[in-house]
């Protein structure tokens, strides 16, 4: 996985299991992500069983609006097809060098870009060769159990009881996600997980990584 622009550390992690109201076949897992006592949004939380990779035929969308990727973080399951509509009145040149999915969409506008299927798990960092501040992340997961934290730093997942690997990924992380083993008890119970990340250390020159990505593109294309 490619590295984000800043580094999260892993702080205190607490797990608590409580019996709550029944939810049918599923057990609920509630995960709260914080840093320095504040909720962390845009973190991708996923639960992975030991049964191997799962795929799904689905569609998703990462738009370009106001020279920004929307959403900036897009979690999808392996097998998902993603479109890249350009809603701006200028053209964009979208590309990625990430190992799970390397691609290039030359200058285009509107809905002119062909959809792309993401068939390998991992984090795909997406950039624009024209606007070096544009960066997005497509997090491709080999599980159907995932969600992205909202402004309150929380997600809720309904999963069958069993043993899972809990993964938490954030764009400001060090690359590899935070991972923990988690046993989800019988249906009708709820598991509460609190993960505290160490505060990120801001870099003085935060756009250097974006410029390096664009420079790599230019070198591959033989541009001056």
């Amino acid at each position: 996985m490619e590295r984000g622009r800043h580094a999260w550390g892993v702080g205190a992690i607490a797990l608590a299991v409580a019996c709550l109201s029944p939810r049918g076949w599923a057990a609920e897992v509630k995960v709260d992500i914080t840093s320095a006592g504040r909720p962390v949004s845009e973190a991708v939380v996923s639960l992975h069983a030991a049964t191997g990779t799962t795929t799904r035929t689905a569609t998703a969308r990462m738009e370009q609006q106001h020279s920004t990727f929307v959403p900036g973080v897009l979690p999808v399951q392996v097998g998902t097809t993603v479109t890249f509509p350009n809603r701006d009145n200028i053209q964009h040149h979208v590309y990625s060098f990430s190992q799970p999915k390397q691609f290039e969409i030359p200058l285009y506008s509107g809905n002119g870009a062909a959809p792309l299927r993401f068939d390998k798990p991992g984090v795909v960092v997406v950039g624009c060769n024209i606007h070096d501040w544009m960066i997005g992340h497509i997090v491709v997961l080999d599980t159907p159990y995932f969600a992205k934290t909202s402004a309150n730093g929380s997600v809720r997942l309904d999963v069958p009881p069993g043993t899972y690997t809990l993964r938490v990924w954030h764009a400001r992380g060090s690359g590899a996600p935070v991972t923990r083993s988690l046993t989800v008890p019988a249906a009708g119970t709820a598991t509460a997980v609190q993960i505290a990340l160490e505060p990120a250390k801001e870099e003085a020159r935060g756009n250097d990584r974006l410029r390096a990505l664009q420079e790599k593109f230019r070198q591959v294309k033989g541009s001056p």
Side-chain angles (χ1 to χ4, degrees):
M1 297 183 183
E2 298 202 21
R3 301 174 69 91
R5 282 176 285 176
H6 309 281
W8 285 111
V10 181
I13 297 180
L15 305 181
V17 179
C19 292
L20 300 181
S21 57
R23 298 182 65 87
W25 64 270
E28 181 185 84
V29 178
K30 181 178 183 292
V31 183
D32 292 293
I33 312 295
T34 61
S35 177
R38 297 181 179 181
V40 175
S41 62
E42 299 288 296
V44 177
V45 179
S46 56
L47 288 172
H48 302 255
T51 54
T53 300
T54 63
T55 62
R56 181 186 181 193
T57 302
T59 59
R61 182 170 56 192
M62 176 176 274
E63 299 183 350
Q64 296 127 66
Q65 291 183 320
H66 308 298
S67 295
T68 303
F69 289 111
V70 180
V73 175
L74 175 65
V76 299
Q77 190 173 348
V78 170
T80 298
T81 297
V82 179
T83 59
F84 295 86
N86 181 357
R87 305 303 185 198
D88 290 331
N89 58 4
I90 57 176
Q91 292 184 317
H92 293 295
H93 190 137
V94 178
Y95 68 99
S96 177
F97 286 108
S98 300
Q99 288 301 316
K101 187 69 175 182
Q102 298 186 12
F103 65 89
E104 178 187 357
I105 307 175
L107 283 170
Y108 74 100
S109 58
N111 297 314
L116 298 174
R117 186 172 185 268
F118 289 75
D119 53 6
K120 294 180 181 179
V123 177
V124 179
V125 182
V126 183
C128 175
N129 188 43
I130 307 302
H131 309 100
D132 64 1
W133 64 86
M134 290 178 63
I135 188 166
H137 297 85
I138 300 176
V139 184
V140 188
L141 301 160
D142 58 357
T143 176
Y145 308 119
F146 62 87
K148 185 172 64 173
T149 57
S150 57
N152 67 3
S154 297
V155 297
R156 294 177 184 268
L157 299 171
D158 290 338
V159 301
T163 301
Y164 295 87
T165 298
L166 169 68
R167 296 180 185 174
V168 179
W169 179 92
H170 196 277
R172 296 174 69 181
S174 59
V178 176
T179 60
R180 289 293 181 272
S181 295
L182 179 66
T183 298
V184 178
T189 63
T191 302
V193 183
Q194 296 84 40
I195 299 181
L197 303 175
E198 294 178 359
K201 295 180 179 179
E202 297 292 336
E203 295 177 352
R205 301 174 66 187
N207 283 330
D208 280 359
R209 179 173 174 274
L210 305 183
R211 296 189 184 99
L213 186 65
Q214 189 179 53
E215 180 61 26
K216 182 177 180 180
F217 178 90
R218 289 170 175 162
Q219 290 175 358
V220 170
K221 303 300 290 184
S223 302

